[in-house]
Amino acid sequence: MRVGIIGGGQLGRMMALAGIPLGLRFRFLEPNEDPPCASVGEVVRGAYDDPDALDRFSDGVDVITYEFENVPVDSAKRLSERVPVYPPPMALEVAQDRLVEKETFRALDIGTAPYRKVDTREELDRAVEELGLPAVLKTRRLGYDGKGQAVLEDADSVAVAWERLGGRPLIVESFVDFARELSCLAVRSRSGELRVYPLVENMHTDGILRESRAPAPGITAERAREAAALVERLLDHLDYVGVLAVEFFETDDGLLANEMAPRVHNSGHWSQDGGGVSQFENHIRAILGLPLGDPRPTGWAGMVNLIGGIPSRGESLGAGGARLHLYGKEPRPGRKLGHLNVRADTLEGLERRLAELGEIAARHGEG
C-alpha cells in the first residue's frame, strides 16, 4: 500500500518513519531539492498547484494526506476526485484563513478572543478603538511561528504595523490575559474511532514553540474534558479524519481557542517516545481506517525544539534518557532543525531532564 504526502518536510518524514514498520510505502509531492523526506520515500518534484505534478503524484497511491495547512485547496479538491484525501479539503479552507477559522469556532460555541476583520487603515483604527490596546494584528493567511503578525501597544506601533502588514486581508485580536498555552491533539479514523491525547502545556518564545510537557502539569479532569469536547465538536463539523491540533489559551474563565492545525503538530512530538502510540502512527492508522492506538504516555513526557543550531549527537544522547530526532535540514536562524524527547516517572524528574535539554539546546542554537 502506498501513501501520498503533500509536502516533504520533517512532519512528512516522521509520518513515513512511523508508517514504514507497518509495511507501507510513501510518495511525496515537494518542489524543493533534497527535502527531509528524501531518505524515506519517492519524491515527485513539482509545485503544489501544477496539474501535471499532481497527476504524477497521485497515480498509484491509495490515500493522500498532507504535512502543512497551506496546501492549495483547489489542489486538494482535484486530488480528492481521484484518491481519498484526509483530512478533508474543508479543513484546509477553515485553517488557511484566520477570520474563517475564528468564525467557525464561534459558530460551534468555541470561545475565542474578541476580534475584528481589517482591510483598510480606517477599519484598523476602528477595531483598535472598539477592542482597545494591547492587541495583535495578524495576516489572515500564511502566518506561522509568529510570522505575519505585530503587537499593537500604542498609536505609534499601530502605524508601524500597518506599514508592514497593510495592503492584504488582516484580522485584529484582543490581547488575552492567559495563564498558559495548551494544545489538544485528537485523532479520528475513517471508521469514526476517536482518541484524544492528554492536554499539552507549551512554552513559546518569539512565537516559536520551545518546550512541551504532557500531560500539562496541574491540569484538572474537568479542564481536560472541556478541551476534548471542544475539539470533538470541530471533528464532527469538519467530518474529519486524521490528527487535528487545537491551540488554546487557558484563562480564569476557561479555554479560548487560538488556532487549529489540520495535521500532525509540533506540540505532539513528545508522543514519539512517551510510551503510547505516536501522533504520526495514529495519523497514518486513521487515514487508512486501521484501529487507533492508545495515546496516553507512560508517566510524564516532554520535548525541547532544536532551533537555529544542532548539538552533537553525543551531547544530546548523553543527557539522561534523551531521544534525538534530526530533520536533515541546514542550520539557519529561527529554523526548526530537530527536537529532543524525554520521559520520566515523575513530574519532578521530567522538569530536571527538560532543564538539562533546554541548556543543551540553548548552547548550540536558540533553545
Side-chain angles (χ1 to χ4, degrees):
M1 182 170 285
R2 191 185 302 273
V3 176
I5 299 179
I6 305 174
Q10 64 263 23
L11 299 181
R13 171 187 169 89
M14 288 186 280
M15 281 192 273
L17 288 171
I20 287 171
L22 304 180
L24 304 174
R25 301 173 70 185
F26 290 84
R27 178 185 295 162
F28 300 86
L29 176 62
E30 170 60 42
N32 297 312
E33 292 185 10
D34 195 27
C37 68
S39 63
V40 294
E42 174 191 359
V43 180
V44 173
R45 286 280 306 283
Y48 299 126
D49 59 356
D50 179 348
D52 177 65
L54 292 170
D55 290 346
R56 286 187 287 118
F57 166 67
S58 61
D59 185 30
V61 301
D62 297 284
V63 65
I64 290 172
T65 189
Y66 43 86
E67 66 141 21
F68 69 109
E69 59 266 48
N70 289 316
V71 173
V73 173
D74 287 344
S75 296
K77 289 180 176 179
R78 176 189 175 95
L79 290 168
S80 70
E81 294 173 358
R82 304 180 56 163
V83 182
V85 174
Y86 300 115
M90 180 183 176
L92 290 173
E93 292 184 272
V94 172
Q96 287 180 3
D97 187 322
R98 286 190 169 101
L99 179 62
V100 175
E101 183 180 58
K102 289 288 191 294
E103 290 175 341
T104 300
F105 288 156
R106 288 290 182 90
L108 297 174
D109 200 25
I110 299 172
T112 71
Y115 62 89
R116 296 291 186 275
K117 171 178 173 288
V118 169
D119 291 319
T120 66
R121 177 59 198 266
E122 291 73 22
E123 289 180 340
L124 174 59
D125 291 339
R126 186 162 59 250
V128 167
E129 182 179 352
E130 293 173 354
L131 298 176
L133 296 177
V136 184
L137 181 66
K138 301 179 179 180
T139 57
R140 283 173 52 182
R141 291 182 173 271
L142 298 179
Y144 68 97
D145 283 348
K147 298 178 177 66
Q149 56 185 268
V151 176
L152 310 178
E153 298 177 316
D154 51 32
D156 289 342
S157 62
V158 171
V160 170
W162 178 256
E163 182 69 23
R164 182 163 70 88
L165 299 177
R168 67 192 104 176
L170 302 170
I171 185 172
V172 175
E173 301 174 12
S174 289
F175 224 66
V176 175
D177 182 17
F178 61 89
R180 57 179 171 174
E181 296 174 90
L182 303 172
S183 57
C184 182
L185 284 76
V187 57
R188 191 165 76 167
S189 173
R190 291 167 71 165
S191 69
E193 184 185 3
L194 173 68
R195 297 276 189 161
V196 180
Y197 284 79
L199 268 179
V200 183
E201 179 183 280
N202 300 309
M203 299 177 63
H204 294 79
T205 303
D206 298 327
I208 301 177
L209 179 64
R210 305 291 169 161
E211 295 183 5
S212 294
R213 292 161 173 78
I219 205 71
T220 64
E222 180 182 7
R223 184 55 46 84
R225 287 193 296 269
E226 176 189 0
L230 296 177
V231 175
E232 287 178 40
R233 212 172 291 167
L234 265 175
L235 292 169
D236 289 340
H237 174 72
L238 298 171
D239 195 20
Y240 199 89
V241 172
V243 167
L244 174 68
V246 180
E247 298 180 16
F248 291 102
F249 297 120
E250 185 178 30
T251 74
D252 291 341
D253 298 322
L255 297 175
L256 294 179
N258 180 33
E259 61 185 26
M260 59 173 270
R263 54 172 172 80
V264 291
H265 194 258
N266 196 174
S267 69
H269 289 1
W270 59 268
S271 65
Q272 291 171 299
D273 303 298
V277 175
S278 77
Q279 62 164 341
F280 301 103
E281 182 175 338
N282 262 337
H283 182 81
I284 295 299
R285 292 191 191 193
I287 65 173
L288 294 175
L290 299 172
L292 301 180
D294 188 345
R296 291 174 296 180
T298 303
W300 298 82
M303 180 219 65
V304 173
N305 269 333
L306 300 175
I307 300 168
I310 303 173
S312 71
R313 292 180 177 87
E315 184 177 11
S316 299
L317 298 175
R323 301 294 298 273
L324 175 64
H325 299 264
L326 296 178
Y327 307 153
K329 297 161 72 174
E330 289 297 316
R332 67 169 184 243
R335 194 179 205 190
K336 294 175 181 175
L337 304 172
H339 63 273
L340 289 162
N341 285 338
V342 70
R343 65 157 304 279
D345 293 331
T346 65
L347 178 58
E348 294 75 15
L350 178 69
E351 294 296 348
R352 285 194 301 271
R353 292 177 177 181
L354 284 177
E356 182 180 6
L357 298 184
E359 290 175 1
I360 291 172
R363 278 199 297 271
H364 298 275
E366 307 163 33

